């Protein structure tokens, strides 16, 4: 009998030990000082590359932030979004939601400079995570210490981009998408604030201003004057290839204007307006609209969580567009 008690105690100890080990491993898989010894100038190099690109093209920050998000939501943060398609495989960057991604050259330039300093040390996935942070900070947004140590993945499949939450997603779909990746409703609202940067083509919100449903031509949750303006920008027989609208009124500034517009029923996407259909998310939208400080803090915390979604990376790519 005593032997059984000892055996059960040992089993409980083993279970606790395994749980602690797994948690410890997850927490320490990435580190904010990962390259301090092996490539100490990596972060400053990336920042300068991003800064220079921004001086030539104001749309770079939004592109880099979106690219990082799209990378992490498919196969984890493993740089798979950076891979080019091959004769035998269509890669993520050529999947429908990613056709409009751009500024890949910024990652290429940073990678080339870092490879000259520290060959085979810094992953493309880490460069993208750092470039996205710098894009936000240099646009007036918060700074956060990016956890580093990601490896680059070797698999990139265009069809898997269907997993990405779309502009027409309802709150249940959004919650499920984020939850599957270990992210909460709070993270959803905070990360939606990334829409403060950028531009959208008409195709992403046309459903809200034309034949919305059997009773309404225009989405009734949209402000009427805002909807009328969108109709002018995106007429029924639009022939302008790049027609669209900015995500908020301060396109190139990272601030909390996005949340103020959502509260005014001027969120561009259905997914933006749908943040008001849940009591928790609506409360957070109001909180961030009233306090940019609270938004910045929450955004930084959620970006750390999102950028830590583990991928199946195996290598440090020498060229971010191709596997070694």
């Amino acid at each position: 009998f005593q032997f059984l008690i000892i055996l059960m105690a040992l089993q409980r100890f083993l279970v606790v030990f395994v749980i602690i080990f797994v948690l410890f491993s997850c927490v320490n898989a990435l580190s904010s000082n990962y390259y301090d010894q092996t490539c100490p100038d990596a972060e400053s190099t990336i920042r300068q590359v991003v800064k220079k690109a921004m001086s030539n093209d104001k749309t770079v920050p939004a592109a880099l932030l979106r690219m990082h998000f799209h990378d992490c939501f498919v196969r984890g943060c493993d740089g798979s979004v950076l891979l080019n398609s091959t004769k035998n495989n269509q890669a993520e960057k050529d999947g429908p939601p990613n056709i409009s991604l751009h500024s890949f050259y910024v990652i290429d330039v940073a990678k080339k400079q870092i490879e000259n300093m520290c060959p085979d040390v810094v992953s493309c996935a880490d460069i993208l995570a750092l470039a996205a942070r710098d894009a936000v900070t240099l646009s007036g947004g918060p700074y956060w210490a990016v956890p580093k140590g990601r490896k680059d993945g070797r698999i990139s499949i265009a069809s898997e981009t269907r997993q990405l939450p779309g502009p027409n997603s309802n709150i249940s779909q959004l919650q499920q998408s984020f939850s599957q990746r270990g992210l909460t409703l709070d993270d959803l609202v905070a990360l939606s604030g990334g829409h403060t940067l950028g531009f959208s083509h008409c195709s992403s919100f046309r459903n809200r201003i034309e034949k919305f449903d059997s009773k309404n031509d225009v989405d009734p949750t949209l402000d009427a004057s805002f909807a009328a303006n969108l109709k002018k920008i995106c007429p029924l027989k639009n022939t302008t290839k790049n027609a669209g609208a900015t995500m908020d009124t301060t396109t190139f500034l990272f601030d909390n204007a996005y949340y103020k517009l959502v509260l005014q029923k001027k969120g561009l996407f259905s997914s933006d307006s749908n943040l008001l259909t849940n009591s928790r998310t609506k409360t957070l939208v109001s909180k961030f609209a009233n306090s940019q400080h609270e938004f910045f803090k929450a955004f930084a915390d959620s970006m750390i969580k999102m950028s830590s979604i583990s991928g199946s990376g195996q290598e440090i790519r020498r060229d971010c567009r191709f596997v070694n």
Side-chain angles (χ1 to χ4, degrees):
F1 183 73
Q2 283 182 322
F3 174 77
L4 282 174
I5 292 173
I6 293 168
L7 189 63
M8 288 171 66
L10 279 170
Q11 284 179 324
R12 280 198 293 269
F13 174 79
L14 271 172
V15 169
V16 172
F17 177 80
V18 169
I19 291 170
I20 290 171
F21 177 79
V22 169
L23 288 172
F24 185 83
S25 299
C26 292
V27 170
N28 290 277
L30 301 177
S31 164
S32 59
N33 59 359
Y34 192 82
Y35 297 115
D36 284 6
Q37 303 302 319
T38 54
C39 197
D41 294 329
E43 291 205 38
S44 58
T45 300
I46 294 165
R47 190 175 302 111
Q48 286 307 310
V49 170
V50 172
K51 192 173 184 179
K52 185 177 180 182
M54 285 174 62
S55 68
N56 295 323
D57 181 358
K58 289 182 177 180
T59 68
V60 162
L64 292 174
L65 182 58
R66 186 164 173 247
M67 194 187 298
H68 181 41
F69 178 86
H70 283 213
D71 182 37
C72 291
F73 265 60
V74 180
R75 292 187 169 269
C77 310
D78 65 349
S80 54
V81 74
L82 304 170
L83 286 169
N84 281 358
S85 292
T86 64
K87 187 173 68 174
N88 301 316
N89 178 66
Q90 191 176 37
E92 286 172 38
K93 64 167 62 170
D94 291 317
N98 288 343
I99 294 294
S100 58
L101 288 181
H102 65 91
S103 298
F104 290 100
Y105 74 91
V106 179
I107 307 302
D108 294 334
V109 171
K111 179 63 172 174
K112 188 173 182 180
Q113 290 187 19
I114 288 173
E115 282 298 300
N116 288 336
M117 294 188 303
C118 327
D120 302 321
V121 171
V122 183
S123 69
C124 297
D126 276 350
I127 292 173
L128 178 52
L130 287 161
R133 187 273 313 277
D134 293 336
V136 169
T137 307
L138 292 167
S139 298
Y143 174 92
W144 62 92
V146 175
K148 297 169 286 290
R150 299 164 190 78
K151 293 291 190 292
D152 294 322
R154 295 176 57 84
I155 300 169
S156 184
I157 303 169
S159 60
E160 292 185 352
T161 59
R162 292 175 189 151
Q163 303 169 25
L164 289 162
N168 300 325
S169 300
N170 62 38
I171 197 70
S172 297
Q173 292 167 329
L174 290 169
Q175 183 174 12
Q176 183 181 19
S177 178
F178 276 66
S179 177
Q180 287 170 349
R181 292 158 179 85
L183 300 171
T184 65
L185 276 177
D186 291 35
D187 296 317
L188 163 62
V189 180
L191 293 173
S192 293
H195 285 174
T196 183
L197 297 175
F199 172 91
S200 171
H201 292 105
C202 298
S203 57
S204 293
F205 56 85
R206 186 179 293 285
N207 67 301
R208 306 188 74 194
I209 56 173
E210 278 176 24
K211 300 176 183 175
F212 178 71
D213 59 25
S214 58
K215 295 180 180 178
N216 301 283
D217 186 44
V218 174
D219 183 346
T221 66
L222 265 180
D223 174 82
S225 61
F226 181 62
N229 189 48
L230 292 180
K231 272 181 168 286
K232 289 178 185 176
I233 294 167
C234 302
L236 187 59
K237 295 181 179 179
N238 174 51
T239 55
T240 307
K241 185 182 177 184
N242 292 318
T246 57
M247 298 300 291
D248 78 5
T249 49
T250 54
T251 316
F252 306 115
L253 180 66
F254 196 96
D255 59 13
N256 67 336
Y258 161 81
Y259 296 103
K260 295 175 182 178
L261 290 173
V262 170
L263 286 178
Q264 294 166 20
K265 298 184 178 180
K266 295 178 181 178
L268 197 58
F269 296 157
S270 295
S271 59
D272 297 323
S273 296
N274 287 335
L275 294 179
L276 301 179
T277 62
N278 172 284
S279 59
R280 175 62 186 166
T281 55
K282 185 177 182 179
T283 297
L284 287 168
V285 169
S286 297
K287 179 181 178 180
F288 297 153
N290 291 323
S291 173
Q292 185 163 280
H293 172 75
E294 290 293 336
F295 164 48
F296 279 12
K297 183 178 179 297
F299 185 82
D301 290 343
S302 292
M303 281 297 289
I304 290 170
K305 277 182 72 175
M306 187 199 77
S307 73
S308 300
I309 299 173
S310 60
S312 55
Q314 301 171 340
E315 63 185 21
I316 305 294
R317 262 182 248 147
R318 297 183 187 92
D319 184 322
C320 292
R321 293 175 183 259
F322 308 97
V323 297
N324 290 343

